[in-house]
Amino acid sequence: AQSVTQLDSHVSVSEGTPVLLRCNYSSSYSPSLFWYVQHPNKGLQLLLKYTSAATLVKGINGFEAEFKKSETSFHLTKPSAHMSDAAEYFCVVSDQINGNQFYFGTGTSLTVIP
Amino acid sequence: GAVVSQHPSWVICKSGTSVKIECRSLDFQATTMFWYRQFPKQSLMLMATSNEGSKATYEQGVEKDKFLINHASLTLSTLTVTSAHPEDSSFYICSASRLAGDLNTGELFFGEGSRLTVL
C-alpha cells in the first residue's frame, strides 16, 4: 500500500535562510513522487516530480528534492527562503503500477519571517 | 503548460438549492478528472474519480446522490452539490490528467478551486 507522511505540519523560517520540508513515503512498487504548492484560496501548482530518472530533482522557484530510496524520503529544500514561498506544501505519491491513484500527505504550512 | 479552469471560483447559495461547479481542461484532453474537498488547514480529500463517458468512482463515505459528477466530454467535468446544506460549505478542487500515459508518471493539473458557502 502507498502512503505519504509529512513530518511537520508547520515550518517557520526567516527570509534568506534554508527551507527543509520533510516527506517520507511508503510504496510497494516504483513510486512517482511530487511536491505541490498551494497558496491561500488557490489550486495546487506542481513544484517538481520524480519519476525514476535522476534522484535529485530540480523544480520551479529554486526548489529541489532528492529521492532517497534507502530512507524512503523525498524531502523538499530551497537554499534561501523568499517571502513569496509562504504557502501550504503537499507531498504526493503515486505508483506506476496503479497510476490512477495519488496519495496526498497532510500538508506542511510554511511561514517565512521577514 | 496544461491549464485547468474551474468555475465559479466562489459561490454562495441558500440551503436546499443545488450548485454546479465546472472543471475544464483548456488546452488538453483530460481522460480522467478528480474531485477533491478541502477543509481549512487540511489536506485534500479525494471525493471521486471521473473518467470520460463513464460513471464516476466515488470514495468511501462520499454520497453519490449528493455529489453528482458528470464527465461528458474530454474537456469538461461537472460537480453538482444537490440540496446543499451548511455542512457542504467547503473548498472544492478538481484536477485532470492527460492521456493514459500521464497517469503513470504524474502529473496532475489542478484547477484554482471553488469555494462554496451555503447559508
Side-chain angles (χ1 to χ4, degrees), chain A residues 10-22:
Chain A
H10 188 86
V11 169
S12 184
V13 301
S14 296
E15 188 177 18
T17 63
V19 176
L20 170 64
L21 305 182
R22 296 183 293 169

Side-chain angles (χ1 to χ4, degrees), chain A residues 25-75:
Chain A
Y25 70 92
S26 171
S27 177
S28 303
Y29 307 105
S30 300
S32 293
L33 292 154
F34 313 84
W35 276 100
Y36 285 87
V37 60
Q38 183 183 31
H39 288 92
N41 297 310
K42 296 289 187 182
L44 276 66
Q45 179 186 19
L46 180 69
L47 281 177
L48 48 80
K49 65 179 178 181
Y50 165 79
T51 55
S52 75
T55 56
L56 181 62
V57 181
K58 294 187 184 298
I60 62 172
N61 301 336
F63 284 95
E64 61 182 42
E66 186 172 6
F67 173 71
K68 292 186 177 180
K69 187 174 181 179
S70 60
E71 299 177 10
T72 60
S73 69
F74 190 59
H75 301 334

